[in-house]
């Protein structure tokens, strides 16, 4: 009887999920590893934030999603991430672009998705994010948040180069980048 219990415990422990800090490398970790926000590095960014650039006001709604699944190196993993939804308004209050009503299930639509990809890589209180872009990926690139205080952070956005064709990306869609294309823009917690 003892042998059966030990055997079952051995099987359960082999199947248990390995937990790693957010910045651990997925390259040498086993399938189904969980990259957990052990030090609550993402928590200071949760909430509603506003910043103004070239007359447009950008509002960010930042939430933390626990154990979001993803695939890399042909393996499945889980990670705690920030999901950022946004709205950009002009000086008259007209909405230029919004993702506030978007839903981002794992494996679903990524249009306008901003998601964290790492924290504090250079020991500088920074969160790295990926932006999937708008129509046909226009504006997709990298965003960095760098904490200034409990109520402010710097925003730096680096859009990548996007090519499109008229077959899969018709010319009648809006390909303008509305997010603030700048470095060290201050966002303030609301």
């Amino acid at each position: 009887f003892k042998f059966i219990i030990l055997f079952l415990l051995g099987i359960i422990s082999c199947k248990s999920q390995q937990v790693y800090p957010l910045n651990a490398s997925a390259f040498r970790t086993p399938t189904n590893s969980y990259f957990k926000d052990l030090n609550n590095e993402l928590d200071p960014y949760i909430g509603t934030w506003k910043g103004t650039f070239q007359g447009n006001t950008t509002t960010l709604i930042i939430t933390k999603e626990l154990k979001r699944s993803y695939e890399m190196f042909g393996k499945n993993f889980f990670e705690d991430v920030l999901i950022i939804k946004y709205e950009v308004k002009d000086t008259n209050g007209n909405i230029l672009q919004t993702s506030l009503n978007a839903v981002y299930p794992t494996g679903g639509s990524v249009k306008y998705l901003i998601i964290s990809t790492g924290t504090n890589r250079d020991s500088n209180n920074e969160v790295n994010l990926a932006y999937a872009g708008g129509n046909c990926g226009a504006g997709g690139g990298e965003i960095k948040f760098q904490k200034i205080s409990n109520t402010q952070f710097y925003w730096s956005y680096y859009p990548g180069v996007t090519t499109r064709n008229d077959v899969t990306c018709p010319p009648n869609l809006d390909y303008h980048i509305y997010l603030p294309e700048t470095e060290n823009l201050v966002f303030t917690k609301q």
Side-chain angles (χ1 to χ4, degrees):
F1 184 74
K2 270 187 177 179
F3 176 75
I4 293 172
I5 291 176
L6 289 173
F7 178 74
L8 290 175
L9 286 174
I11 289 174
I12 291 169
S13 67
C14 288
K15 298 270 184 192
S16 69
Q17 189 171 62
Q18 300 281 334
V19 176
Y20 296 93
L22 282 177
N23 280 336
S25 171
F27 185 68
R28 290 197 169 98
T29 55
T31 297
N32 293 322
S33 292
Y34 175 24
F35 300 96
K36 186 174 177 58
D37 186 13
L38 297 170
N39 298 320
N40 298 313
E41 296 170 77
L42 302 177
D43 292 359
Y45 298 95
I46 297 169
T48 302
W49 303 78
K50 283 192 181 183
T52 302
F53 180 69
Q54 296 180 340
N56 294 337
T57 300
T58 302
T59 302
L60 306 175
I61 308 295
I62 304 175
T63 58
K64 181 176 174 180
E65 184 176 328
L66 302 178
K67 232 175 170 180
R68 185 176 177 96
S69 65
Y70 69 99
E71 187 178 323
M72 183 183 283
F73 309 122
K75 300 187 288 187
N76 293 316
F77 299 102
F78 299 90
E79 182 175 13
D80 294 344
V81 296
L82 292 178
I83 301 286
I84 293 82
K85 295 184 180 183
Y86 65 90
E87 185 167 81
V88 181
K89 291 184 178 181
D90 66 15
T91 54
N92 296 321
N94 298 312
I95 296 172
L96 301 174
Q97 192 171 69
T98 185
S99 69
L100 295 183
N101 295 320
V103 178
Y104 297 113
T106 300
S109 172
V110 295
K111 182 177 174 183
Y112 304 132
L113 173 65
I114 303 173
I115 188 169
S116 61
T117 59
T119 59
N120 212 22
R121 288 185 182 145
D122 298 320
S123 300
N124 56 0
N125 273 338
E126 207 169 72
V127 174
N128 303 85
L129 305 114
Y131 173 50
N135 289 319
C136 292
E142 180 183 9
I143 298 171
K144 293 181 182 182
F145 293 167
Q146 186 174 25
K147 185 178 173 186
I148 303 169
S149 69
N150 289 335
T151 59
Q152 292 186 317
F153 66 79
Y154 289 120
W155 156 287
S156 297
Y157 169 42
Y158 311 97
V161 177
T162 306
T163 58
R164 68 175 184 84
N165 62 59
D166 291 344
V167 175
T168 58
C169 298
N172 63 327
L173 294 178
D174 183 1
Y175 297 105
H176 186 81
I177 298 172
Y178 293 99
L179 289 175
E181 292 182 68
T182 188
E183 292 182 313
N184 300 323
L185 175 65
V186 174
F187 272 79
T188 303
K189 195 164 196 175
Q190 303 301 294

